[in-house]
Amino acid sequence: FTVAAGAEEPQPRPVWFEATDIGTIELFTLADAAKVRRLRTDPRASLVVAAPVGEPEHWVSVAGTVTLESQGAQELAARLAARYWDLGDRGRSTELEQMLGAELLRLVIHPQKVARYTP
């Protein structure tokens, strides 16, 4: 995930994400994260997703504007944690509890351009 940076250098970051039935991409972040400050100034961002190592090369890139939503971030975080982590692991479940206790925002990417490569 990379936000438009204006005069600042872009700083791509790996993120957990979810594609929605209405064609948006959602992720969550801490409310005081640098990406939030940047998005408040310039709401453009992109996300690139590539196939894991060992799979045939394919990828998708989504670019668009982002809205910052105060509702639904904790639910999204819990749903994505269950997808990415083994929540039966006490360390991971404790980490999720701490994450859910923080002030989170839901970031919604509204795609304006989608590119993909599949051989």
Side-chain angles (χ1 to χ4, degrees):
F1 179 72
T2 305
V3 299
E8 299 180 44
E9 292 186 29
Q11 297 179 1
R13 296 289 186 261
V15 294
W16 293 350
F17 69 93
E18 178 176 84
T20 70
D21 292 338
I22 61 170
T24 59
I25 307 293
E26 297 190 359
L27 50 135
F28 67 93
T29 192
L30 292 170
D32 63 353
K35 66 175 87 55
V36 171
R37 290 190 297 278
R38 290 178 172 170
L39 287 166
R40 290 189 194 285
T41 301
D42 185 342
R44 296 174 301 141
S46 64
L47 178 72
V48 176
V49 180
V53 172
E55 290 188 11
E57 181 181 357
H58 57 279
W59 54 263
V60 63
S61 171
V62 177
T65 58
V66 176
T67 54
L68 306 171
E69 309 289 339
S70 57
Q71 302 296 314
Q74 273 74 12
E75 294 84 359
L76 179 62
R79 197 166 52 249
L80 292 175
R83 182 180 307 155
Y84 287 93
W85 285 346
D86 172 7
L87 294 177
D89 178 310
R90 181 68 187 140
R92 290 297 193 187
S93 62
T94 299
E95 202 170 339
L96 175 59
E97 289 172 21
Q98 292 170 343
M99 191 183 302
L100 297 178
E103 184 180 355
L104 301 175
L105 290 177
R106 185 169 51 97
L107 308 182
V108 181
I109 304 173
H110 303 272
Q112 295 169 323
K113 182 178 179 183
V114 176
R116 54 180 50 94
Y117 172 76
T118 305

